[in-house]
Amino acid sequence: MQIVLMRHGKPKIDKNLRVNAEGFGVWVDRYNASGLDHECPPSGLAVERAAQCAFTVCSDLPRSLESARALGIEHADIHDPGFREMDMPYANWRFPDLPPAVWLVFFRLAWALGYSSNAESFAAARERARRCAERLADLASIHGTVLFVGHGSLNWFIARHLNSMGWSCPSSPPRKYWGFGVYRKQAD
């Protein structure tokens, strides 16, 4: 059995602006609604790996669904909001104005330490990732090879759960756009 965790392609969104903490929340909403930057297509290796999978799972976010299509998959077998990226908290402060990348690091660290304003909690997100890993494993037991066109943080937590479930895995889950890792387990 195999599960391929692949990160979606590069989203088409302006990252070169400055926003306050409240504006960062608006930027996250725009990021979640954004499609792909078509000037950054998948590698031939990513397309080849996707074509080898019998079943495809995506989140319901445009960047996941459009990534599957860019890989040559016309329709994902499952597109489920449970497979969305982990929520990003934000605050309602109107200061200071910083690049979204700075807010992203700040709020992701704050989230891991317990801050979850406007987002699911860290514990709830980890539990959701565990359920996603179990569902992908169940699908792999039925279909043999499953492709999940997912998201950076969620893929990282799914990979950890797959490892704890006895799946052999790469040294680290995919981090770059279009990056992927293949997770294997002998059928029971």
Side-chain angles (χ1 to χ4, degrees):
M1 298 183 301
Q2 291 185 359
I3 297 171
V4 177
L5 296 183
M6 185 176 295
R7 188 168 183 213
H8 59 76
K10 182 180 179 184
K12 187 170 181 75
I13 188 161
D14 185 6
K15 294 182 181 179
N16 298 317
L17 65 147
R18 296 173 77 84
V19 294
N20 58 31
E22 187 174 50
F24 175 69
V26 173
W27 184 88
V28 168
D29 289 342
R30 288 184 185 143
Y31 182 81
N32 285 336
S34 70
L36 292 184
D37 180 346
H38 296 288
E39 294 186 20
C40 299
S43 69
L45 189 59
V47 172
E48 182 180 317
R49 177 54 71 177
Q52 295 170 358
C53 295
F55 197 86
T56 303
V57 178
C58 293
S59 77
D60 65 339
L61 293 174
R63 64 187 182 270
S64 178
L65 294 165
E66 286 185 28
S67 293
R69 284 192 292 276
L71 292 163
I73 300 159
E74 195 164 323
H75 299 289
D77 297 294
I78 293 176
H79 48 92
D80 184 333
F83 285 96
R84 282 178 165 229
E85 176 62 296
M86 295 178 157
D87 285 344
M88 179 61 65
Y90 62 92
N92 296 325
W93 314 322
R94 297 186 187 266
F95 62 90
D97 288 345
L98 300 169
V102 173
W103 286 120
L104 185 101
V105 171
F106 174 79
F107 280 118
R108 193 54 91 195
L109 287 172
W111 177 73
L113 295 172
Y115 181 80
S116 61
S117 180
N118 303 301
E120 69 185 328
S121 71
F122 184 73
R126 284 183 44 198
E127 174 59 23
R128 181 166 59 87
R130 184 193 60 75
R131 289 191 311 268
C132 289
E134 289 175 354
R135 189 164 180 201
L136 291 171
D138 289 344
L139 291 167
S141 72
I142 296 166
H143 301 284
T145 56
V146 174
L147 169 67
F148 173 48
V149 183
H151 307 276
S153 296
L154 183 63
N155 279 356
W156 191 83
F157 280 96
I158 288 173
R160 289 187 60 191
H161 287 293
L162 289 174
N163 188 34
S164 71
M165 294 165 59
W167 289 75
S168 65
C169 52
S171 58
S172 64
R175 301 189 87 168
K176 295 182 179 182
Y177 297 123
W178 299 118
F180 64 89
V182 180
Y183 299 76
R184 294 178 173 86
K185 186 175 184 184
Q186 294 297 320
D188 295 331

